[in-house]
PDB file of all heavy atoms in Angstrom:
ATOM      1  N   LEU A 271       9.002  24.086  25.709  1.00 91.00           N
ATOM      2  CA  LEU A 271       7.812  24.501  26.465  1.00 91.00           C
ATOM      3  C   LEU A 271       7.793  26.018  26.631  1.00 91.00           C
ATOM      4  O   LEU A 271       6.740  26.654  26.474  1.00 91.00           O
ATOM      5  CB  LEU A 271       7.781  23.801  27.832  1.00 91.00           C
ATOM      6  CG  LEU A 271       6.587  24.088  28.706  1.00 91.00           C
ATOM      7  CD1 LEU A 271       5.313  23.621  28.031  1.00 91.00           C
ATOM      8  CD2 LEU A 271       6.759  23.405  30.060  1.00 91.00           C
ATOM      9  N   LEU A 278       2.206  31.422  22.422  1.00 97.00           N
ATOM     10  CA  LEU A 278       0.796  31.571  22.771  1.00 97.00           C
ATOM     11  C   LEU A 278       0.508  32.941  23.392  1.00 97.00           C
ATOM     12  O   LEU A 278      -0.532  33.572  23.075  1.00 97.00           O
ATOM     13  CB  LEU A 278       0.380  30.473  23.733  1.00 97.00           C
ATOM     14  CG  LEU A 278       0.081  29.118  23.138  1.00 97.00           C
ATOM     15  CD1 LEU A 278      -0.138  28.083  24.247  1.00 97.00           C
ATOM     16  CD2 LEU A 278      -1.115  29.163  22.224  1.00 97.00           C
ATOM     17  N   HIS A 293      -6.584  50.143  21.622  1.00 87.00           N
ATOM     18  CA  HIS A 293      -6.327  50.720  22.943  1.00 87.00           C
ATOM     19  C   HIS A 293      -5.363  49.772  23.683  1.00 87.00           C
ATOM     20  O   HIS A 293      -5.414  48.563  23.550  1.00 87.00           O
ATOM     21  CB  HIS A 293      -7.624  50.869  23.745  1.00 87.00           C
ATOM     22  CG  HIS A 293      -8.607  51.761  23.057  1.00 87.00           C
ATOM     23  ND1 HIS A 293      -8.487  53.134  23.075  1.00 87.00           N
ATOM     24  CD2 HIS A 293      -9.703  51.486  22.316  1.00 87.00           C
ATOM     25  CE1 HIS A 293      -9.485  53.664  22.379  1.00 87.00           C
ATOM     26  NE2 HIS A 293     -10.238  52.682  21.914  1.00 87.00           N
ATOM     27  N   PHE A 304       1.060  38.672  32.807  1.00 97.00           N
ATOM     28  CA  PHE A 304       1.909  37.638  32.196  1.00 97.00           C
ATOM     29  C   PHE A 304       3.327  37.671  32.758  1.00 97.00           C
ATOM     30  O   PHE A 304       3.920  36.640  33.038  1.00 97.00           O
ATOM     31  CB  PHE A 304       1.937  37.779  30.672  1.00 97.00           C
ATOM     32  CG  PHE A 304       2.787  36.749  29.993  1.00 97.00           C
ATOM     33  CD1 PHE A 304       2.368  35.428  29.905  1.00 97.00           C
ATOM     34  CD2 PHE A 304       4.011  37.089  29.437  1.00 97.00           C
ATOM     35  CE1 PHE A 304       3.148  34.471  29.289  1.00 97.00           C
ATOM     36  CE2 PHE A 304       4.809  36.151  28.813  1.00 97.00           C
ATOM     37  CZ  PHE A 304       4.370  34.829  28.741  1.00 97.00           C
ATOM     38  N   LEU A 306       4.192  38.748  35.745  1.00 97.00           N
ATOM     39  CA  LEU A 306       4.125  38.210  37.099  1.00 97.00           C
ATOM     40  C   LEU A 306       4.017  36.685  37.070  1.00 97.00           C
ATOM     41  O   LEU A 306       4.649  35.991  37.880  1.00 97.00           O
ATOM     42  CB  LEU A 306       2.921  38.803  37.846  1.00 97.00           C
ATOM     43  CG  LEU A 306       3.018  40.255  38.218  1.00 97.00           C
ATOM     44  CD1 LEU A 306       1.689  40.765  38.760  1.00 97.00           C
ATOM     45  CD2 LEU A 306       4.131  40.485  39.224  1.00 97.00           C
ATOM     46  N   PHE A 342     -20.091  25.345  53.103  1.00 88.00           N
ATOM     47  CA  PHE A 342     -20.590  25.920  54.338  1.00 88.00           C
ATOM     48  C   PHE A 342     -20.304  27.424  54.472  1.00 88.00           C
ATOM     49  O   PHE A 342     -21.122  28.139  55.040  1.00 88.00           O
ATOM     50  CB  PHE A 342     -19.993  25.185  55.538  1.00 88.00           C
ATOM     51  CG  PHE A 342     -20.257  23.714  55.524  1.00 88.00           C
ATOM     52  CD1 PHE A 342     -19.260  22.800  55.204  1.00 88.00           C
ATOM     53  CD2 PHE A 342     -21.524  23.224  55.788  1.00 88.00           C
ATOM     54  CE1 PHE A 342     -19.533  21.432  55.196  1.00 88.00           C
ATOM     55  CE2 PHE A 342     -21.805  21.876  55.770  1.00 88.00           C
ATOM     56  CZ  PHE A 342     -20.793  20.957  55.466  1.00 88.00           C
ATOM     57  N   SER A 366      -7.376  26.071  42.904  1.00 90.00           N
ATOM     58  CA  SER A 366      -6.296  25.365  43.564  1.00 90.00           C
ATOM     59  C   SER A 366      -6.408  23.854  43.344  1.00 90.00           C
ATOM     60  O   SER A 366      -5.410  23.163  43.262  1.00 90.00           O
ATOM     61  CB  SER A 366      -6.272  25.706  45.065  1.00 90.00           C
ATOM     62  OG  SER A 366      -7.399  25.183  45.711  1.00 90.00           O
ATOM     63  N   PRO A 386       3.665  -2.850  34.002  1.00 81.00           N
ATOM     64  CA  PRO A 386       3.860  -2.738  32.541  1.00 81.00           C
ATOM     65  C   PRO A 386       2.793  -3.386  31.734  1.00 81.00           C
ATOM     66  O   PRO A 386       1.999  -4.147  32.076  1.00 81.00           O
ATOM     67  CB  PRO A 386       5.208  -3.394  32.300  1.00 81.00           C
ATOM     68  CG  PRO A 386       5.539  -4.155  33.511  1.00 81.00           C
ATOM     69  CD  PRO A 386       4.654  -3.638  34.610  1.00 81.00           C
TER      70      PRO A 386
END
Side-chain angles (χ1 to χ4, degrees):
L271 182 62
L278 281 172
H293 300 283
F304 180 72
L306 291 171
F342 302 107
S366 67

